[in-house]
Amino acid sequence: MATHGLPDWPWSGAPADDLPAAERLLLDTIRTWHAAARAGAAPLPATRLTLAAGDAGSAAIPLDAMLRAAPAAVGCPLCPRVAPSEAGLLLACALAQRGARSEALAALLRLLPLGAAYAAMPAAIHLGCALSRAGLLLRHPLREAMRPRPAARG
């Protein structure tokens, strides 16, 4: 099977510091939520605090709902690179925010069984709306991945 022409999955393995501001805030918040949950603390207050740094505190409840419905392995708060499951969550959130619901569901299905992916979709949509109201627009990752690359010179 030929694989040329397929997009690179955005953000997977990318340095976390190279992410755009909205994606970096979302990644930091996802990692904070998981770190608090692993420590046995309530993740919602930690999430609110992280999102408040980007004036997006209203996104805490839908993010909490999405992460409860979509258990995925994520890196530690200081991991230097974006883990594949984190990239999948960022991709799903960006697509849901852009109204590409079937594509967002497909991104979640890479990480979750069918029931969990469907359960996470409403929260992902509400999260996208809350981030938009806060002025945080996630990039359209598939559009950017499908752009033609400049030809190599040499």
Side-chain angles (χ1 to χ4, degrees):
M1 176 173 132
T3 58
H4 64 282
L6 293 176
D8 296 328
W9 290 112
W11 304 304
S12 186
D17 291 336
D18 291 351
L19 291 176
E23 284 81 358
R24 180 60 197 253
L25 177 66
L26 186 56
L27 176 66
D28 288 344
T29 307
I30 290 169
R31 288 176 172 181
T32 300
W33 189 95
H34 278 279
R38 281 191 296 260
L44 188 57
T47 302
R48 280 195 173 125
L49 184 62
T50 306
L51 285 170
D55 292 328
S58 64
I61 291 175
L63 179 65
D64 181 66
M66 184 187 78
L67 293 176
R68 287 182 190 279
V74 300
C76 67
L78 299 176
C79 287
R81 298 211 170 264
V82 180
S85 58
E86 294 169 333
L89 287 173
L90 291 174
L91 175 65
C93 291
L95 292 169
Q97 185 184 46
R98 297 294 182 140
R101 293 180 180 180
S102 59
E103 290 88 350
L105 180 61
L108 286 173
L109 285 170
R110 290 178 47 225
L111 305 171
L112 305 167
L114 181 64
Y118 270 111
M121 275 302 296
I125 293 166
H126 288 291
L127 174 62
C129 292
L131 291 174
S132 292
R133 284 192 302 272
L136 297 169
L137 187 61
L138 301 169
R139 296 207 178 156
H140 193 300
L142 295 181
R143 184 178 299 148
E144 291 178 14
M146 292 300 291
R147 285 190 183 140
R149 306 259 193 259
R153 295 183 180 196

